Amino acid sequence: MKSESSNPSVTERDIEPLRGQIDEIDQKLLELLNERSSVANQIGHIKQQLGLPIYVPSREKIVLSNVMKNNPGPLPPEAVRRLFEQIIDETRALERQKYPSK
């Protein structure tokens, strides 16, 4: 069923290039997430050598504040917070695997 506001010049073929853009962006995100995890692992190694805890709540608060403050949208701030909380949780889990506490 078509809505009254549908544009007859728009077809389903118009979706494909946009999906291609999303696929490219997803690859870039994946590269960046893995790069971020690699840097976090380096930090985890230093923390282990210094006997510091993996989890530092004050640092997590700074990271979340930074991404929310610099979010240009269209994602709402709380969505950005949830996404980055998950990224941080997964990165921390990786650090704990690689550098378990003694």
Side-chain angles (χ1 to χ4, degrees):
M1 176 196 282
K2 293 193 174 204
S3 69
E4 293 177 25
S5 63
S6 65
N7 183 345
S9 65
V10 175
T11 68
E12 285 189 33
R13 284 184 281 164
D14 295 322
I15 294 172
E16 289 311 310
L18 297 171
R19 286 183 174 157
Q21 285 181 332
I22 286 176
D23 291 344
E24 289 176 22
I25 292 166
D26 287 347
Q27 286 303 307
K28 291 175 187 175
L29 282 170
L30 183 59
E31 290 172 20
L32 288 170
L33 288 169
N34 280 303
E35 183 179 348
R36 186 186 194 287
S37 294
S38 178
V39 172
N41 279 334
Q42 292 173 43
I43 291 170
H45 181 70
I46 293 169
K47 286 177 178 179
Q48 182 197 38
Q49 291 179 330
L50 297 174
L52 298 173
I54 294 293
Y55 179 55
V56 180
S58 60
R59 175 61 184 151
E60 183 172 325
K61 189 174 183 176
I62 291 168
V63 170
L64 294 173
S65 176
N66 284 340
V67 294
M68 289 175 67
K69 176 179 64 179
N70 293 304
N71 173 31
L75 283 173
E78 284 308 310
V80 170
R81 172 184 284 281
R82 287 188 304 272
L83 286 167
F84 273 85
E85 284 174 339
Q86 188 64 43
I87 290 167
I88 291 166
D89 286 345
E90 294 299 329
T91 304
R92 189 180 314 120
L94 186 61
E95 281 183 75
R96 284 189 174 125
Q97 275 182 349
K98 195 160 183 156
Y99 305 106
S101 56
K102 296 177 182 176

